[in-house]
Amino acid sequence: MTREQIGTALNYEQPNKTIAKIHERNADRLDPLSTVVNLSNVEGDRYVTRETYVYTLRGVMEICRFSRQPNAEGVANHALVSKTLVLGVVQ
């Protein structure tokens, strides 16, 4: 998931900025659980490429733990269930 996706799921007013702050404060934990990719989007009549942070499932779980948001546990559970469904793993 991206910073924007995680922050939106956690109901932050500034999702990307807030997750970036959480990452800064916990870089030792989150650096190995994330990567930066260049994603292109259409904005109006042009393509724009931006660096985007993407987190592993464990990274999402750690961010939820650090966030202290009331819905953090639900977001973490949703991420886990979603990954399970994508991989076709049934327990």
Side-chain angles (χ1 to χ4, degrees):
M1 292 178 73
T2 66
R3 284 181 172 171
E4 188 74 26
Q5 291 170 324
I6 299 165
T8 299
L10 289 168
N11 298 320
Y12 284 117
E13 288 184 28
Q14 297 180 316
N16 199 36
K17 188 182 242 183
T18 305
I19 301 305
K21 286 181 184 177
I22 290 172
H23 187 131
E24 263 181 47
R25 287 193 302 262
N26 302 283
D28 59 322
R29 297 285 300 246
L30 293 173
D31 281 351
L33 304 175
S34 65
T35 192
V36 179
V37 295
N38 290 316
L39 295 180
S40 297
N41 295 323
V42 176
E43 292 182 3
D45 60 347
R46 62 193 178 108
Y47 283 95
V48 178
T49 301
R50 301 193 191 282
E51 284 189 344
T52 304
Y53 276 80
V54 180
Y55 293 87
T56 65
L57 175 61
R58 185 168 167 217
V60 174
M61 307 287 268
E62 290 290 315
I63 289 169
C64 288
R65 188 167 66 93
F66 294 133
S67 76
R68 300 187 202 116
Q69 287 289 87
N71 66 331
E73 185 177 346
V75 172
N77 287 338
H78 177 75
L80 182 60
V81 168
S82 297
K83 182 159 185 170
T84 302
L85 292 173
V86 168
L87 295 176
V89 178
V90 179
Q91 294 185 12

